[in-house]
């Protein structure tokens, strides 16, 4: 069955994994039912590259920001916030991201991460833009900062508990789900989906990562989203196309993208 109206709300098509066939792949995606893609920035360079992609492909929009793993590469003194603000003036920049906290790896200092995260949360507030949040093994600190700054935005690749999911929804956040929904160890993600109202759900790939079963471990792209949309549809008792339509509408609403 062919599906339409796919909105991949988190992708990384500037990743080196796509160097050999980026143009061919991106040209093909609309023919596979992909109507929108949000290209998420991780560094200054990838943010600029994302803007370039958005200029070339009508269905691609983008976010600009510094990923927590790159938090130590910039500082307020070097003017990175001004540069992000300048990039955000581009017509198709619709969010600040991906930003957040990642405590999984010990060689990314937590204090530096928190400083960069707060600076970018404040920038998004000043620019009236939503945020795309990266949160790995930092649930308590991430939730506390969201409660403090109260941004609009999405926790991408949501990995928290159903209790955390409910708290984030109360704070006005959306939650994004990847191919992890199809993994055999996806209990927490599945429980969270069951608890979340339909109008707060988003679908994403985080490509080239997080390919759904049966492609787990392979390079992912936006055309694979119906595979984990199917799992979400089963949990919510609706059709796959309904899930694709609802999450498309949710993504447009969050990022301020008007329907064609």
């Amino acid at each position: 069955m062919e599906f339409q109206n796919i909105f991949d709300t988190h992708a990384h098509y500037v990743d080196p994994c796509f160097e050999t066939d980026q143009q061919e792949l991106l040209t093909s995606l609309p023919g596979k039912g992909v109507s929108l893609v949000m290209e998420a920035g991780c560094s200054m360079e990838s943010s600029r590259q994302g803007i370039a992609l958005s200029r070339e492909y009508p269905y691609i929009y983008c976010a600009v920001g510094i990923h927590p793993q790159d938090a130590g590469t910039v500082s307020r003194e070097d003017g990175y916030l001004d540069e992000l603000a300048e990039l955000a003036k581009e017509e198709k920049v619709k969010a600040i991201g991906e930003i957040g906290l990642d405590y999984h790896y010990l060689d990314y200092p937590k204090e530096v991460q928190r400083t960069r995260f707060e600076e970018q949360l404040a920038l998004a507030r000043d620019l009236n833009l939503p945020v795309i949040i990266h949160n790995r093994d930092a649930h308590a600190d991430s939730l506390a900062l969201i409660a403090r700054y109260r941004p609009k935005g999405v926790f991408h690749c949501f990995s928290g508990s159903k209790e955390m999911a409910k708290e984030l929804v109360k704070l006005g956040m959306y939650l994004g789900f990847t191919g992890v929904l199809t993994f055999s160890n996806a209990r927490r993600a599945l429980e969270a989906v069951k608890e979340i109202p339909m109008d707060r759900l988003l679908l994403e790939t985080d490509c080239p990562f997080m390919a759904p079963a049966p492609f787990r471990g392979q390079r992912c792209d936006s055309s694979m989203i119906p595979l984990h949309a199917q799992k979400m549809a089963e949990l919510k008792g609706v059709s796959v196309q309904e899930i694709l339509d609802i999450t498309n509408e949710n993504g447009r609403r969050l990022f301020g993208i008007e329907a064609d």
Side-chain angles (χ1 to χ4, degrees):
M1 181 177 179
E2 293 185 2
F3 296 105
Q4 302 297 321
N5 221 22
I6 296 167
F7 188 172
D8 182 352
T9 58
H10 196 105
H12 298 287
Y13 283 114
V14 302
D15 189 274
C17 287
F18 296 107
E19 278 183 351
T20 60
D21 63 345
Q22 183 197 70
Q23 184 175 17
E24 179 183 359
L25 174 62
L26 294 180
T27 300
S28 74
L29 288 180
K32 298 175 181 178
V34 178
S35 64
L36 290 167
V37 166
M38 178 61 64
E39 175 73 17
C42 291
S43 63
M44 283 299 179
E45 182 58 27
S46 64
S47 294
R48 295 189 198 98
Q49 292 172 339
I51 289 172
L53 281 187
S54 75
R55 290 172 176 169
E56 185 172 357
Y57 298 93
Y59 70 95
I60 295 180
Y61 289 78
C62 58
V64 297
I66 305 299
H67 189 284
Q69 293 179 9
D70 286 272
T73 67
V74 297
S75 68
R76 180 183 288 273
E77 290 71 29
D78 68 18
Y80 89 99
L81 289 168
D82 291 336
E83 187 170 354
L84 283 178
E86 191 64 28
L87 292 177
K89 292 178 181 178
E90 284 277 338
E91 180 182 3
K92 295 181 78 177
V93 172
K94 295 296 183 178
I96 300 298
E98 70 185 275
I99 63 176
L101 301 173
D102 192 322
Y103 294 170
H104 186 73
Y105 299 105
L106 298 179
D107 52 346
Y108 302 121
K110 293 180 180 180
E111 190 56 44
V112 174
Q113 289 189 45
R114 285 192 289 263
T115 298
R116 296 291 92 79
F117 189 20
E118 289 201 62
E119 288 171 350
Q120 293 179 93
L121 284 171
L123 176 66
R125 179 187 59 203
D126 293 344
L127 298 177
N128 194 29
L129 286 172
V131 292
I132 298 174
I133 305 296
H134 175 103
N135 165 57
R136 189 176 187 189
D137 296 345
H139 302 322
D141 283 356
S142 295
L143 187 56
L145 288 172
I146 294 305
R148 181 186 305 172
Y149 284 89
R150 299 300 293 265
K152 53 184 178 180
V154 55
F155 265 60
H156 107 89
C157 194
F158 183 73
S159 59
S161 65
K162 62 182 180 181
E163 290 78 16
M164 182 180 182
K166 289 190 283 188
E167 284 300 312
L168 288 170
V169 168
K170 288 179 183 177
L171 291 168
M173 299 295 287
Y174 293 73
L175 303 184
F177 293 89
T178 66
V180 167
L181 288 178
T182 68
F183 295 178
S184 59
N185 60 347
R187 178 183 59 82
R188 282 160 64 92
L190 299 178
E191 288 178 348
V193 168
K194 290 178 183 178
E195 293 289 338
I196 300 168
M198 294 277 269
D199 65 354
R200 293 290 157 170
L201 292 169
L202 297 177
L203 287 168
E204 58 173 86
T205 57
D206 199 20
C207 67
F209 316 106
M210 301 296 184
F215 302 106
R216 186 174 182 179
Q218 300 180 34
R219 189 185 78 171
C220 187
D221 69 65
S222 304
S223 68
M224 296 180 183
I225 276 186
L227 292 170
H228 52 286
Q230 182 175 0
K231 178 60 68 173
M232 187 178 285
E234 292 170 4
L235 294 169
K236 290 299 192 181
V238 298
S239 71
V240 175
Q241 189 58 58
E242 283 179 278
I243 285 292
L244 294 174
D245 292 340
I246 290 167
T247 54
N248 184 294
E249 182 181 349
N250 293 346
R252 286 181 181 273
R253 182 170 60 251
L254 171 61
F255 295 120
I257 300 172
E258 295 182 4
D260 295 332

